[in-house]
Amino acid sequence: MTRESKDPRPRLDLEAQALAALETARTMPPGPERNEAMKKAGILQNAADLQGIFFAKRGRPAKKT
């Protein structure tokens, strides 16, 4: 079985959304809403990172962090 994505987003779009979500979360006062916003930003960043791995060019060495 293959998993098909209905809305594949470009990596740059996901990175931009992750950065915007992180900035929004940082400006919020401490509390449960801020925690959820930080989690959402982290999920978006992970999605952007994973998409970069899946669509890496052939022959290119793995990106080290």
Side-chain angles (χ1 to χ4, degrees), residues 3 7-9 17 20-22 24-25 29 34-35 38-39 44-45 47-48 55 58-59 62 64:
R3 289 177 86 180
D7 184 30
R9 299 178 186 172
Q17 285 183 337
L22 183 60
T24 302
R34 182 175 191 251
N35 292 343
M38 293 293 274
K39 285 181 189 177
L44 287 170
Q45 185 61 49
F55 297 109
R58 287 185 124 186
K64 294 187 179 186

Side-chain angles (χ1 to χ4, degrees), residues 15-36:
E15 286 181 1
Q17 285 183 337
L19 287 174
L22 183 60
E23 289 301 318
T24 302
R26 285 180 176 168
T27 61
M28 297 173 78
E33 294 87 15
R34 182 175 191 251
N35 292 343
E36 289 301 316

Side-chain angles (χ1 to χ4, degrees), residues 11 14-15 44-54 63:
R11 183 170 186 235
L14 284 173
E15 286 181 1
L44 287 170
Q45 185 61 49
N46 287 338
D49 290 343
L50 284 175
Q51 194 171 24
I53 292 171
F54 290 139
K63 182 179 177 183

